[in-house]
Amino acid sequence: MTETTILRGRLLRFAGDPFEIGAEAALCFDEDGALAMRDGIIADVGPAAMVLADHPGAQVTHLGESLIAPGFVDCHVHYPQTGIIASYGAQLLEWLNTYTFPEESRFGDRSYAQSAAQTYFDEQLRNGVTTACSFCTIHPESVDAYFDEAARRGVRAMGGKVMMDRNAPNTLTDTAQAGYDDSKALIGKWHGVGRALYAVTPRFAPTSTEAQLAAAGALWAEHRDCVMQTHLSENRNEIKWVGELFPGSFDYLGVYEKYGLVGERAIFGHAIHLSDREAARLAETGASVAHCPTSNQFLGSGECDVAGLMGRGVRVGLASDVGGGSSFSMFHTMKAAYEVAQRRGVSLSPVHLWWLATAGAARALGIGEKIGNLAVGLEADAVVLDLASTPILRHRVARADCINEALFAQIVLADDRAVTSTLSGGRVVYDQGESR
Ligand code: GUN
Ligand code: ZN
């Protein structure tokens, strides 16, 4: 018989979507809570007295005042850009040509890709991110390195080979047919194997010919249980360029619609400068948006209207978008989302922000029934947080009147130092004490 293990401490989880039911109803907080795990799955969760009574033989770890919370979910990131995070002085199109494409060109070398994947997963887990959906590069080797490393660590991971057949260096282009064939082979190799899930990944409209977008649409139609990820309306020059490259299309999303790339399980990075029609179509079709606020600030792209999109019924999740994004930390990402919304006159509550970085992001990826919350039957992916990880946080949290205030202080002031440990499938995959 397998053993049940229990973590006992303060416990944060969600009773629902705060954008629908309000922050107060969505927040489920136990001052003395417990999370019971068996075979990598959450077996029980709730007030400690109840959980402990129901599992008398379980091995219990007491975490005192630490907070047990759902593992963070980063629904749009580029693991091959780990090495070019924090690159100076360019906006999107120049940044791609100057920093991104030269770096991504190196990922045909399996050992280079493997080393980058190791560094990337170290960073993710140190920051409490238990699942991410990553772009790889055009090279199948980059996908193998990514999923191999995820499997080695036992974490759930989503990602896919970038499809790109024009407007990029020769070292970084495939063809419509090769992009289709390679992606299809990778789906067969990785999708649903262990905790890996494949994402069909045309980079963005400007780097794919119409033939390639059509091939991506056909591939996704054949594998509709895969996510389709791409970029949408991030930068004004990009949007103008899309208009020139696709003169027949009435807007940016229309290009993707034409090739069957919009619908449930499609997730669009950024979605900042949307027309009314585009926002309405995202909602109608059940597509999702990855909100990447540190990236949008860092690259000077603009400000996504998260509250407006959620209000219209679009599924939104938070994302780092590293290396355009400036941090692996979901605290930094939530803080940036708060600041971006503030500029639009909206003050997102800590519950709304935390939900976007966990359950919301999981739902945006179509895997909300697997991860993103602490609930019976979900995979046991969690973080243990020290709410007083720095002198200023200790000082501030000591004055907090309620958990909301303590959570907001984390969002504004915390970083990887707050992450004491990260659990994936019930196993500790990062322990701050061991890594020091
Ligand atoms: N648009 C197309 N490719 C990229 C990328 O790598 N990063 C960002 N931020 N936007 C993109
Ligand atoms: Zn991106």
Side-chain angles (χ1 to χ4, degrees):
M1 208 169 72
T2 51
E3 205 187 342
T4 300
T5 55
I6 292 181
L7 298 182
R8 180 176 184 179
R10 300 162 115 190
L11 193 88
L12 170 73
R13 60 206 157 105
F14 300 101
D17 172 354
F19 289 89
E20 269 176 24
I21 62 175
E24 211 175 309
L27 175 68
C28 228
F29 175 69
D30 293 295
E31 187 61 44
D32 183 11
L35 175 71
M37 302 169 285
R38 190 171 46 239
D39 294 333
I41 302 293
I42 297 172
D44 205 351
V45 63
M50 183 197 87
V51 174
L52 293 175
D54 287 349
H55 304 275
Q59 179 207 320
V60 183
T61 305
H62 290 261
L63 296 165
E65 301 207 323
S66 292
L67 182 74
I68 306 160
F72 291 117
V73 179
D74 180 347
C75 66
H76 178 119
V77 61
H78 300 253
Y79 98 81
Q81 295 173 14
T82 300
I84 56 138
I85 189 173
S87 290
Y88 176 77
Q91 297 212 344
L92 178 64
L93 300 178
E94 188 194 347
W95 174 85
L96 284 172
N97 285 315
T98 310
Y99 301 113
T100 312
F101 290 162
E103 176 66 6
E104 290 193 11
S105 296
R106 307 175 75 172
F107 280 71
D109 175 349
R110 177 59 200 262
S111 66
Y112 190 85
Q114 189 176 325
S115 158
Q118 283 168 2
T119 307
Y120 162 83
F121 277 107
D122 282 348
E123 274 311 298
Q124 290 276 40
L125 296 178
R126 240 157 46 74
N127 284 285
V129 176
T130 45
T131 291
C133 186
S134 182
F135 286 60
C136 299
T137 66
I138 65 145
H139 314 94
E141 293 87 344
S142 74
V143 180
D144 290 340
Y146 174 73
F147 283 130
D148 263 346
E149 189 59 24
R152 201 175 69 76
R153 304 197 188 217
V155 301
R156 181 163 284 293
M158 216 181 241
K161 181 201 115 69
V162 163
M163 303 168 84
M164 178 156 62
D165 68 345
R166 66 167 164 174
N167 293 321
N170 289 339
T171 48
L172 217 50
T173 46
D174 51 16
T175 62
Q177 190 62 46
Y180 172 93
D181 291 342
D182 287 351
S183 302
K184 195 165 180 72
L186 288 163
I187 290 171
K189 186 170 182 183
W190 289 111
H191 185 63
V193 174
R195 300 184 79 195
L197 291 169
Y198 195 84
V200 175
T201 309
R203 180 174 214 116
F204 68 155
T207 48
S208 286
T209 58
E210 305 210 22
Q212 182 161 74
L213 292 174
L219 181 64
W220 192 38
E222 291 157 22
H223 299 279
R224 204 53 189 212
D225 56 333
C226 290
V227 156
M228 191 295 302
Q229 61 176 348
T230 188
H231 296 87
L232 172 70
S233 289
E234 175 178 4
N235 167 290
R236 298 239 182 243
N237 290 335
E238 168 209 16
I239 296 166
K240 190 162 156 276
W241 194 23
V242 169
E244 290 159 12
L245 291 169
F246 300 90
S249 182
F250 30 84
D251 55 31
Y252 196 157
L253 189 70
V255 175
Y256 295 134
E257 284 187 275
K258 179 170 176 194
Y259 296 104
L261 293 167
V262 181
E264 285 208 21
R265 292 187 184 274
I267 181 160
F268 296 94
H270 308 288
I272 298 171
H273 311 283
L274 297 180
S275 67
D276 231 38
R277 191 202 80 86
E278 290 174 305
R281 285 298 290 156
L282 288 173
E284 273 164 30
T285 58
S288 302
V289 163
H291 175 37
C292 312
T294 73
S295 171
N296 300 160
Q297 290 178 325
F298 186 74
L299 295 176
S301 303
E303 288 140 14
C304 173
D305 180 11
V306 173
L309 288 174
M310 289 295 301
R312 296 180 88 131
V314 179
R315 294 171 189 162
V316 183
L318 268 188
S320 70
D321 192 35
V322 164
S326 54
S327 176
F328 282 94
S329 170
M330 294 311 279
F331 295 116
H332 292 173
T333 308
M334 290 189 278
K335 179 184 181 209
Y338 177 77
E339 291 170 349
V340 163
Q342 280 284 78
R343 283 180 61 97
R344 291 182 161 272
V346 174
S347 305
L348 291 173
S349 82
V351 176
H352 285 83
L353 291 162
W354 215 290
W355 181 87
L356 284 169
T358 53
R363 192 183 66 173
L365 291 172
I367 49 174
E369 80 294 350
K370 286 185 170 47
I371 59 160
N373 200 359
L374 300 182
V376 174
L378 294 198
E379 294 170 10
D381 291 359
V383 279
V384 178
L385 303 176
D386 172 5
L387 298 184
S389 61
T390 65
I392 186 61
L393 269 166
R394 191 171 312 122
H395 184 69
R396 182 65 186 86
V397 167
R399 290 154 189 254
D401 286 335
C402 62
I403 186 64
N404 277 286
E405 215 177 313
L407 293 177
F408 191 60
Q410 304 306 307
I411 288 168
V412 179
L413 297 169
D415 53 30
D416 52 303
R417 287 170 290 183
V419 180
T420 313
S421 62
T422 304
L423 286 93
S424 181
R427 282 177 44 247
V428 175
V429 287
Y430 166 76
D431 184 324
Q432 191 182 106
E434 279 172 16
S435 74
R436 265 206 286 257

